[in-house]
Amino acid sequence: MGRASRADAAEHRDEIVAATSRLLRERGAGAVSVNDAMSAAGLTHGGFYKHFASKDELMGLAAAAAFDQRIAGMQRILEEHPERDDATTQMLDRYLSVDHRDTPGTGCGNTAIAADSARAPGDSPLHAAYTAGLRATVEELADYQPEELDERERRDRAILQLATMVGALTLARGTAGDPISEEILSVTREALRGRR
């Protein structure tokens, strides 16, 4: 295979993973077929096994991509807002927003993929990617915590913050269209701002 063909194959693989990551967060693993994944990437079903050994492998890579996207966004917020309070406000405003609620395909994997991970076998690529992604999210959120706290306190607060945010976003998505949905987002956002 020539250099251009290898580059094209790598590009196609990345496109499939990115498209599947969106579908996984929108629909869940059980509702995404190999054909869906390939079609979303603009490719035919026949080329799937040139890129992946199985759908399970693809689901693990798609979950990892979802977390990579979210963590990169969190890192950008910290870079753009060096004051931790400002960064936290920005992060909470983006995470606990109507836009995030309504766009699961580009949203947080912690929320969108949790049920799939819980149903997946413990040794599946999806479960492994979810667990690794959640751990990485906790580490990133620990960087948002006040510097005067020790490492354990920052980690504890990060876990509490993540659990609260994920719970709120899940409830808001489950009640979208009812006024309580936006109320959940607003109340949680304000409570977490006051907790710093």
Side-chain angles (χ1 to χ4, degrees):
M1 185 182 296
R3 201 175 316 162
S5 296
R6 279 193 293 270
D8 288 344
E11 183 177 331
H12 289 320
R13 180 181 168 92
D14 291 345
E15 290 167 352
I16 297 164
V17 170
T20 304
S21 182
R22 285 188 301 277
L23 291 175
L24 173 62
R25 288 176 278 175
E26 288 172 356
R27 301 180 188 176
V32 179
S33 68
V34 167
N35 193 45
D36 293 336
M38 296 300 283
S39 292
L43 301 168
T44 62
H45 176 271
F48 178 81
Y49 291 102
K50 290 185 219 173
H51 300 286
F52 310 100
S54 66
K55 179 185 169 188
D56 286 344
E57 178 191 8
L58 175 57
M59 288 297 128
L61 293 168
F67 282 100
D68 290 348
Q69 180 184 27
R70 176 59 47 185
I71 289 167
M74 292 172 70
Q75 290 169 344
R76 274 192 305 279
I77 291 171
L78 279 173
E79 290 167 8
E80 294 166 5
H81 303 276
E83 292 293 323
R84 287 189 172 161
D85 282 350
D86 293 342
T88 299
T89 296
Q90 288 296 317
M91 184 266 299
L92 291 171
D93 286 351
R94 292 178 193 182
Y95 195 96
L96 296 168
S97 68
V98 170
D99 183 57
H100 190 201
R101 178 197 68 194
D102 295 345
T103 55
T106 57
C108 178
N110 286 293
T111 303
I113 308 171
D116 288 308
S117 179
R119 291 184 194 107
D123 62 349
S124 74
L126 189 146
H127 186 77
Y130 184 85
T131 302
L134 186 139
R135 288 177 176 279
T137 306
V138 168
E139 294 303 317
E140 192 61 35
L141 274 175
D143 288 345
Y144 278 80
Q145 306 310 314
E147 291 179 315
E148 64 270 12
L149 299 176
D150 67 32
E151 187 176 335
R152 180 76 247 169
E153 290 171 317
R154 286 196 311 272
R155 183 175 173 79
D156 288 351
R157 285 182 65 156
I159 290 170
L160 179 60
Q161 189 175 48
L162 179 62
T164 304
M165 290 165 41
V166 168
L169 187 59
T170 300
L171 294 173
R173 283 182 177 166
T175 57
D178 188 282
I180 197 167
S181 178
E182 290 182 32
E183 187 179 2
I184 290 165
L185 295 172
S186 175
V187 167
T188 305
R189 195 170 49 242
E190 293 308 313
L192 288 175
R193 282 182 186 153
R195 193 173 267 171
R196 293 192 308 266

